[in-house]
Amino acid sequence: GQNIDQPTEMTATEGAIVQINCTYQTSGFNGLFWYQQHAGEAPTFLSYNVLDGLEEKGRFSSFLSRSKGYSYLLLKELQMKDSASYLCAVTEAAGNKLTFGGGTRVLVKP
Amino acid sequence: SQTIHQWPATLVQPVGSPLSLECTVEGTSNPNLYWYRQAAGRGLQLLFYSVGIGQISSEVPQNLSASRPQDRQFILSSKKLLLSDSGFYLCAWSTSTGGWYEQYFGPGTRLTVT
């Protein structure tokens, strides 16, 4: 089975940086996804990590350490539109299924 | 390009009534299909997934069922809804080939059971 933990809520100021941590315990691990979900909307894909290290994509970066069962999503130069929930999800070795954490709600204040 | 449709967008149903939610995908063949449920303020819970027509895997025992009558059609059903079935239902698809499987989500159906 899978157990995925991430903080429930975080608050940050516009223009700042926020780091959202995700820890996981899995019986089989293939990769880790980050999704963004605005209130009332469907999740949208942000990033995917399968190897250790940092993946950078514009203002967003995601890091993975397989040995530690740990990932983080880094949001830089925060904008008001970044206020959303951020979902960490892991795939098993078969790759067909995603198991999601509870999500981290990020509130960006002016 | 690929698109995924879900309907209805919102639904209010009484306890004990039946349910049918439909999801269709365009622009791809033989996708993997998924049904998730999200309770208010919570993460996504995988309910069912399908790797082909007539092939359904259930993740959570409950009063819901799923069917895949066509390659790009996925249906979520219930014979008798419970109050606890309220939530945001999301359909998703992913490619069935390649090294990893990003999932693309439909717009969702918000179900309220009264």
Side-chain angles (χ1 to χ4, degrees), chain A residues 8 21 32 37 41 44-45 54 57 65 73 75-76 79 84-85 89-90 95 98 106:
Chain A
T8 304
N21 296 324
L32 188 143
Q37 185 179 26
E41 298 181 8
T44 55
F45 170 77
L54 189 67
K57 191 182 289 186
S65 169
L73 179 69
L75 285 61
K76 305 174 193 174
Q79 302 175 9
S85 288
V90 300
L98 280 177
V106 172

Side-chain angles (χ1 to χ4, degrees), chain B residues 49-70:
Chain B
Y49 73 97
S50 171
V51 298
I53 295 174
Q55 301 178 61
I56 309 294
S57 295
S58 174
E59 290 296 300
V60 183
Q62 57 209 325
N63 67 320
L64 299 172
S65 63
S67 62
R68 185 170 176 174
Q70 300 180 45

Side-chain angles (χ1 to χ4, degrees), chain A residues 59-76:
Chain A
R59 294 188 298 113
F60 294 179
S61 304
S62 57
F63 171 83
L64 176 67
S65 169
R66 296 175 67 114
S67 61
K68 295 182 179 178
Y70 167 71
S71 173
Y72 68 73
L73 179 69
L74 196 67
L75 285 61
K76 305 174 193 174

Side-chain angles (χ1 to χ4, degrees), chain B residues 2 35 39 61 64 79:
Chain B
Q2 301 88 5
W35 277 112
L64 299 172
K79 292 181 179 177

Side-chain angles (χ1 to χ4, degrees), chain A residues 30 33 35 37 40-43 45 48 87 94-98 100-103, chain B residues 32 34 36 38 42-44 46 49 51 59 88 90 100-103 105-106 110:
Chain A
N30 186 43
F33 288 85
Y35 280 82
Q37 185 179 26
E41 298 181 8
F45 170 77
Y48 176 73
L87 310 176
N96 278 339
K97 300 186 292 182
L98 280 177
F100 283 84
Chain B
N32 293 331
Y34 312 84
Y36 291 89
Q38 186 175 36
R42 307 289 296 275
L44 277 68
L46 179 63
Y49 73 97
V51 298
E59 290 296 300
F88 191 38
L90 290 155
W100 55 275
Y101 306 92
E102 174 188 342
Q103 292 185 15
F105 288 85
R110 191 161 301 281

